[in-house]
Amino acid sequence: NGIYDGIINTHCNMLVGVGPTLRMLTKNRSFNQLVEREFFAWSERVQLRRKLWAMAHSRTGDGESFAVLQSNPAFPGVQLDFQPIEPEQCQTPYGSYEKNGIVDGIRYDQFNNIIAYDILPYHPGASFQIQSMDAETVPASTVLHWFKLKRPGAHRGIPDCTSSLGVGAKSRRHREATVAAAETAANLSAIS
């Protein structure tokens, strides 16, 4: 739906803007400026705004967003980087429903604390996914999982538009009916 896509894009633009900035408020002004400059340089290197925008788009449209923290040796100084991944890549293939403590790619301990995520190396719909459907178990401390907890006990997110999906379908049918009526009227006026 083009209208809903426009709404998501506007929402992401408003949410992320030009990207986050850091403002240090210690008493040492030169230290504050140094840290702020370093943060800006790091955010440019990791393409922070671009990745956050993609994650916000996924969070709104898919209901959740994931990223994996990693070290990037190509970066000078702070080597922290993160890679957004498709929500479909977080899953435990091959009968995870029979295993206790695993819910749709998320591993829990006996106290319901997240301990790890199962991440597929490729999107399950990718053409080269046949090579490997073995998920890598990634510690929870290195995974960013962004979703809105709407119901107690929920483990994964649902799209913000879920409750209004029928409205989009009705809107499409209305547009098509309006165009069809206009075409019929034009055809009748051409005949007479």
Side-chain angles (χ1 to χ4, degrees):
N1 185 318
I3 295 170
Y4 185 65
D5 188 51
I7 292 169
I8 292 177
N9 288 340
T10 301
H11 170 73
C12 294
N13 289 337
M14 296 297 291
L15 180 66
V16 177
V18 295
T21 57
L22 179 67
R23 180 164 180 184
M24 297 291 293
L25 297 173
T26 68
K27 295 182 191 273
N28 187 335
R29 186 171 182 213
S30 58
F31 174 75
N32 294 345
Q33 291 173 344
L34 172 69
V35 173
E36 289 169 2
R37 274 195 312 272
E38 287 298 316
F39 177 82
F40 179 77
W42 173 80
S43 67
E44 290 287 307
R45 275 194 304 273
V46 300
Q47 300 177 356
L48 183 60
R49 187 229 177 258
R50 180 174 172 250
K51 291 177 180 178
L52 288 177
W53 194 94
M55 290 181 70
H57 197 278
S58 177
R59 157 57 190 91
T60 307
D62 299 335
E64 61 189 342
S65 182
F66 291 90
V68 178
L69 297 173
Q70 58 192 18
S71 179
N72 191 335
F75 292 169
V78 177
Q79 296 182 341
L80 176 65
D81 195 0
F82 67 99
Q83 184 61 47
I85 61 169
E86 289 282 349
E88 293 85 2
Q89 285 180 256
C90 179
Q91 62 175 275
T92 308
Y94 309 122
S96 64
Y97 303 105
E98 300 168 3
K99 301 175 187 172
N100 289 331
I102 300 176
V103 178
D104 200 15
I106 306 173
R107 296 176 179 262
Y108 296 88
D109 65 12
Q110 67 269 23
F111 304 107
N112 210 30
N113 299 312
I114 299 172
I115 55 174
Y117 291 85
D118 291 332
I119 308 289
L120 295 175
Y122 306 105
H123 188 281
S127 60
F128 48 85
Q129 62 90 17
I130 298 169
Q131 295 174 1
S132 174
M133 279 298 285
D134 295 328
E136 177 185 353
T137 301
V138 180
S141 60
T142 61
V143 176
L144 307 174
H145 184 195
W146 181 14
F147 76 103
K148 185 174 187 175
L149 182 64
K150 292 187 176 183
R151 306 222 14 118
H155 301 285
R156 303 285 299 255
I158 59 171
D160 290 344
C161 71
T162 301
S163 62
S164 61
L165 286 174
V167 174
K170 288 177 184 173
S171 172
R172 182 176 54 251
R173 287 177 51 214
H174 180 264
R175 281 193 315 271
E176 290 171 357
T178 303
V179 169
E183 289 174 342
T184 301
N187 289 337
L188 292 175
S189 67
I191 292 172
S192 56

